[in-house]
């Protein structure tokens, strides 16, 4: 079609006919519709293809997979890149890199002071001890910070979404001690994969992509006066370490994993089996005026 003919159609269709439009919503929706008209025309999309796409989107919603699709198409990473750029433009530098939250956080995990055990003891996996300090960008410890941690089990599944796990398995909030320290014991996670043959998997296959993530552990780290940090660490050595379908791997978020077989080290850690250990410190950026909020509002699961 002639560009002028498409634009004339859009002008007619997008004219307000009742009441005052909400300017931001109208501007964005009008732009998306315009871009889709152009895509349909440029790719000569047939009516059956259009309705197939509508049906795909309907089914993806029914499957509750938009959180996965948003990550897989790179939107979640793109929002992070834009937040990073806004902070840099405001002169905020240093601090632990942010990376995506993903759709598998559950609010309301038990609060523990200083240290916690995350696993319920039902799995045989490798024992992992992770510990470190929360500091500000000047190196001062942040006491009383909340370190919210969640991760998958040895099969790559998350409690709450995987109903075979106990409530809040592998999920806790740890309050840092007077020196800003936290510590937890857990079982080493495995990488996550999107549900086989679900909406995300179907789409990714058509794009010549897979739906795997490297093994990782999620964190929200927050304290009054600081920007909330949403981040993850990846488990070094994972085959998908630099091939994450959600684009969340970042330099500075791949700490060394120390494997301990030595009986003295095992006894000193209060354990009776070999274990892995990760030391990782978090650095929080101070809150600053006129920045987009680092406290992202999105629908999140909440366990009773
Ligand atoms: C995850 O963190 O496990 C995840 C992230 C994005 C999409 C799906 C899962
Ligand atoms: Fe995850």
């Amino acid at each position: 079609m002639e560009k002028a003919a498409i634009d004339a159609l859009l002008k007619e269709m997008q004219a307000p006919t009742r009441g005052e439009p909400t300017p931001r919503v109208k501007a964005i929706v009008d732009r998306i519709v315009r871009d889709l008209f152009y895509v349909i025309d440029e790719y000569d999309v047939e009516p059956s293809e259009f309705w197939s796409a509508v049906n795909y989107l309907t089914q993806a919603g029914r499957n509750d997979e938009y959180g996965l699709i948003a990550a897989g198409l790179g939107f979640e990473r793109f929002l992070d890149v834009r937040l990073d750029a806004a902070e840099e433009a405001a002169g905020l530098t240093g601090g632990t890199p942010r990376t995506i939250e993903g759709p598998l956080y559950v609010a309301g995990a038990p609060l523990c002071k200083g240290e916690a055990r995350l696993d319920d003891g039902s799995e045989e996996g490798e024992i992992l001890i992770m510990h470190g300090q929360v500091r500000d960008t000047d190196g001062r410890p942040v006491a009383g910070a909340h370190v919210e941690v969640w991760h998958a089990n040895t099969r790559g599944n998350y409690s709450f979404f995987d109903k075979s796990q106990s409530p809040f398995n592998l999920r806790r909030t740890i309050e840092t001690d007077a020196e800003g320290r936290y510590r937890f014991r857990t079982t080493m996670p495995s990488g996550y994969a999107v549900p086989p043959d679900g909406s995300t998997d179907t789409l990714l296959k058509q794009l010549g992509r897979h739906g795997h993530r490297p093994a990782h552990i999620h964190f929200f780290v927050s304290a009054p006066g600081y920007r909330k940090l949403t981040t993850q660490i990846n488990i070094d050595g994972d085959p998908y370490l630099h091939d994450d379908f959600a684009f969340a791997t970042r330099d500075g978020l791949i700490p060394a994993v120390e494997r301990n077989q030595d009986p003295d080290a095992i006894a000193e850690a209060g354990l009776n089996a070999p274990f892995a250990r990760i030391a990782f410190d978090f650095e929080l950026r101070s809150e600053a005026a006129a920045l987009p909020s680092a406290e992202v509002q999105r629908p999140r699961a909440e366990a009773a």
Side-chain angles (χ1 to χ4, degrees):
M1 272 178 78
E2 290 289 321
K3 185 175 173 300
I6 298 178
D7 289 347
L9 254 185
L10 284 164
K11 193 169 176 209
E12 191 185 321
M13 290 167 169
Q14 296 183 337
T17 53
R18 177 180 302 188
E20 275 302 299
T22 306
R24 186 165 169 79
V25 173
K26 176 160 169 48
I28 293 172
V29 171
D30 283 359
R31 172 59 188 267
I32 292 170
V33 172
R34 171 188 169 275
D35 287 355
L36 284 177
F37 273 32
Y38 274 89
V39 168
I40 289 169
D41 193 53
E42 190 177 331
Y43 288 89
D44 209 6
V45 173
E46 291 185 16
S48 304
E49 291 177 307
F50 177 82
W51 292 112
S52 162
V54 169
N55 186 53
Y56 171 83
L57 294 172
T58 305
Q59 199 54 49
R62 286 196 187 118
N63 295 347
D64 200 12
E65 288 203 35
Y66 281 126
L68 276 58
I69 292 169
L73 292 183
F75 287 102
E76 207 176 346
R77 171 76 184 128
F78 183 55
L79 296 172
D80 276 356
V81 169
R82 294 193 75 255
L83 261 186
D84 285 350
E87 290 184 1
E88 200 182 321
L92 285 191
T93 53
T96 302
R98 64 163 50 82
T99 196
I100 70 160
E101 172 182 336
L104 303 171
Y105 171 82
V106 178
L111 173 67
C112 307
K113 302 260 182 190
E115 58 185 315
R117 179 168 176 176
L118 311 191
D119 67 294
D120 63 7
S122 64
E123 280 198 303
E124 282 294 320
E126 181 181 25
I127 299 171
L128 170 65
I129 305 284
M130 181 163 169
H131 60 92
Q133 190 180 37
V134 178
R135 294 192 295 263
D136 65 16
T137 46
D138 293 321
R140 286 184 294 252
V142 182
H146 278 194
V147 178
E148 294 180 72
V149 47
W150 71 101
H151 67 80
N153 67 3
T154 59
R155 295 159 177 256
N157 297 327
Y158 285 79
S159 65
F160 183 85
F161 303 95
D162 168 14
K163 297 299 180 196
S164 76
Q165 295 184 48
S166 61
F168 294 115
N169 189 37
L170 311 175
R171 299 177 186 275
R172 289 294 182 278
T173 298
I174 305 170
E175 191 173 302
T176 56
D177 68 14
E179 279 84 47
R181 298 195 173 278
Y182 75 92
R183 180 183 182 87
F184 61 83
R185 170 188 169 167
T186 191
T187 41
M188 186 67 85
S190 293
Y192 168 92
V194 298
D197 300 322
S199 302
T200 315
D201 193 37
T202 305
L203 177 62
L204 290 173
K205 278 184 182 142
Q206 297 215 39
L207 301 178
R209 295 182 47 203
H210 66 73
H212 291 271
R213 300 209 58 211
H216 60 277
I217 302 178
H218 295 264
F219 298 94
F220 285 152
V221 187
S222 53
Y226 297 96
R227 291 189 55 81
K228 178 174 175 174
L229 172 66
T230 300
T231 196
Q232 307 176 22
I233 57 127
N234 285 333
I235 306 300
D236 200 6
D238 190 290
Y240 291 101
L241 191 58
H242 295 290
D243 188 18
D244 179 2
F245 97 95
F247 311 104
T249 304
R250 297 194 67 178
D251 289 346
L253 298 177
I254 312 171
V257 182
E258 174 196 300
R259 252 92 195 184
N260 291 277
Q261 310 251 358
D262 172 49
D264 290 343
I266 293 171
E268 201 183 315
L271 301 171
N272 53 17
F275 67 101
R277 199 174 71 89
I278 293 175
F280 191 82
D281 297 337
F282 296 99
E283 243 182 59
L284 298 182
R285 290 177 167 182
S286 296
E287 193 49 278
L291 270 176
S293 178
E295 176 71 71
V296 175
Q297 306 295 328
R298 62 185 278 179
R300 295 187 174 93
E302 194 156 351

